[in-house]
Amino acid sequence: MSELFNKAALRDTVQKYLSEAEKSLEIKSIDDDQIRAEIKSLLKQKNAVLVAHYYTEDAIQELAEETGGIIADSLEMARFGANHDAKTLVVAGVKFMGETAKILSPEKTVLMPTLEATCSLDIGCPIEEFSAFCDQHPDRKVVVYANTSAAVKARADWVVTSSIALEVVEHLVEQGEKIIWAPDQHLGGYIQRETGADMILWDGACIVHEEFKAKGIVDIKAIYPDAAVLVHPESPEAVVDVADVVGSTSQLLNASKTMHNDTFIVATDRGIFYKMKQASPNKRFIEAPTAGSGANCRSCAHCPWMALNSLEMLRNALRDNSGEIHIPEETRVKALIPLQKMLNFQLK
């Protein structure tokens, strides 16, 4: 990659992007009960359904449940929207999730509370540089994580989520394929170690998961020796190494429900605690630390872009038809091919 997208530069880009987005989204706060009632009314008027990611704020997740929507990971959000008879999908999450929903449901209107909510993995994998990178390795299958733009998906042979990435790469290894993986290097490294695949990794990372600290988890574990450690594979290798369970958001949620431990140290976005506590109200959930001794965290276990979603912005999107996702049809059709390949693979 060029120097523009090395780690230090990417962090600067991310921080600048966030600062500008936060300024542009300053709106007057109003009574939550009033705005929730407005959203419920607008959902009915517009024949719309709310699909929310596990990392959004509790109030949005709760509203999705109350109105017949869904709380899920990015793939299940898109699948739910495609199968639902609503004419409008309101996607509370980050932009690539709205794009994925539009790729699978081109006939539907897809709205987001804000189009400013993006992802460091998406930002750090620009299509021009990524396409040139792929062109340098024409003998390799291009496998991209769901946390990418529609344009990057359109350049890929496969799109995967963290819940299916291992199985897809194992399938490709069995076929003798070599792989380009993008954009999360930590998830890619984990898959490479688990499968032995010949993989070239794009140098990207999630600003939340990259900050979890193995030493901090070990220190907490000393206080709670019977606690189980749940880790998302976007985390660094040292953090993955101390995990009892490594998995996607839905897999970690399931582990918290089915394991007999009464305490869990969780290395993923703290937004997942809403569903974990709902499913297991008598269990204790502890955030894995995101800062070393004497240091300050940048994300504090919560995606700053997910935090841009709010009840007010959700109301505004429905009321004003703002935050609509548009994808050029040529790009959408190309991106649908690797996405559909993944969906078909899951059905086997």
Side-chain angles (χ1 to χ4, degrees):
M1 290 190 294
S2 72
E3 290 300 314
L4 178 62
F5 283 94
N6 63 31
K7 285 188 178 180
L10 175 57
R11 284 174 178 148
D12 289 343
T13 301
V14 165
Q15 190 55 54
K16 180 181 178 182
Y17 195 106
L18 281 173
S19 297
E20 292 174 351
E22 287 167 355
K23 288 178 183 177
S24 71
L25 292 173
E26 289 180 356
I27 57 176
K28 185 178 179 181
S29 178
I30 62 175
D31 181 74
D32 276 1
D33 289 339
Q34 176 187 337
I35 199 167
R36 287 164 66 92
E38 288 182 56
I39 292 169
K40 289 179 179 180
S41 176
L42 285 165
L43 286 170
K44 290 180 180 179
Q45 290 175 30
K46 303 263 178 127
N47 190 10
V49 65
L50 173 59
V51 290
H53 192 268
Y54 290 122
Y55 295 164
T56 53
E57 65 177 79
D58 291 2
I60 290 177
Q61 295 188 51
E62 184 178 42
L63 191 58
E65 290 179 321
E66 291 177 352
T67 56
I70 192 174
I71 306 164
D73 60 22
S74 59
L75 177 61
E76 288 307 314
M77 289 167 66
R79 195 200 307 273
F80 177 88
N83 293 332
H84 200 281
D85 60 6
K87 292 183 178 180
T88 297
L89 307 178
V90 186
V91 179
V94 293
K95 190 174 181 181
F96 79 81
M97 298 173 183
E99 289 186 337
T100 302
K102 187 66 176 180
I103 291 167
L104 293 177
S105 303
E107 76 287 357
K108 297 182 179 181
T109 299
V110 178
L111 305 176
M112 299 195 70
T114 171
L115 295 179
E116 299 294 336
T118 184
C119 170
S120 59
L121 291 169
D122 191 348
I123 293 173
C125 191
I127 182 56
E128 295 82 5
E129 292 205 1
F130 181 64
S131 185
F133 180 73
C134 293
D135 289 344
Q136 294 172 15
H137 307 281
D139 59 326
R140 292 176 177 268
K141 291 293 183 182
V142 179
V143 182
V144 303
Y145 195 26
N147 301 40
T148 47
S149 67
V152 168
K153 289 180 174 70
R155 182 62 180 80
D157 298 299
W158 286 84
V159 174
V160 297
T161 63
S162 52
S163 61
I164 197 175
L166 272 173
E167 288 82 359
V168 169
V169 171
E170 285 172 349
H171 169 71
L172 293 175
V173 169
E174 290 172 359
Q175 294 186 329
E177 300 287 0
K178 296 184 291 185
I179 296 166
I180 290 174
W181 168 270
D184 192 286
Q185 61 175 319
H186 297 303
L187 176 57
Y190 169 72
I191 293 167
Q192 190 174 37
R193 294 190 300 274
E194 291 292 309
T195 64
D198 183 342
M199 297 171 65
I200 298 176
L201 308 180
W202 184 263
D203 187 16
C206 167
I207 62 170
V208 177
H209 292 96
E210 190 175 40
E211 292 183 0
F212 290 118
K213 310 298 181 187
K215 183 181 182 303
I217 293 174
V218 171
D219 290 344
I220 295 174
K221 181 84 170 178
I223 301 172
Y224 301 99
D226 296 326
V229 179
L230 308 181
V231 172
H232 194 285
E234 288 178 27
S235 304
E237 182 177 358
V239 175
V240 170
D241 286 344
V242 301
D244 295 295
V245 175
V246 180
S248 66
T249 47
S250 56
Q251 289 166 343
L252 297 184
L253 175 59
N254 185 62
S256 73
K257 292 189 289 188
T258 58
M259 294 178 72
H260 296 302
N261 307 69
D262 61 8
T263 301
F264 294 86
I265 303 167
V266 183
T268 193
D269 191 294
R270 65 172 181 262
I272 194 68
F273 284 13
Y274 172 79
K275 291 299 292 184
M276 286 183 170
K277 291 176 179 177
Q278 184 185 69
S280 306
N282 297 321
K283 295 182 179 181
R284 177 189 292 117
F285 298 97
I286 301 170
E287 292 177 23
T290 55
S293 178
N296 294 319
C297 66
R298 286 186 296 274
S299 67
C300 299
H302 188 44
C303 173
W305 287 290
M306 286 288 185
L308 294 180
N309 288 271
S310 68
L311 291 175
E312 291 95 334
M313 296 303 292
L314 175 56
R315 185 278 314 274
N316 292 354
L318 276 164
R319 183 192 63 195
D320 305 331
N321 288 321
S322 60
E324 184 172 356
I325 293 290
H326 297 283
I327 302 174
E329 182 62 8
E330 182 180 359
T331 300
R332 190 198 69 80
V333 170
K334 289 180 179 178
L336 178 60
I337 295 171
L339 264 174
Q340 194 62 57
K341 193 181 295 186
M342 176 180 65
L343 294 174
N344 294 341
F345 183 85
Q346 285 189 310
L347 296 174
K348 291 182 180 179

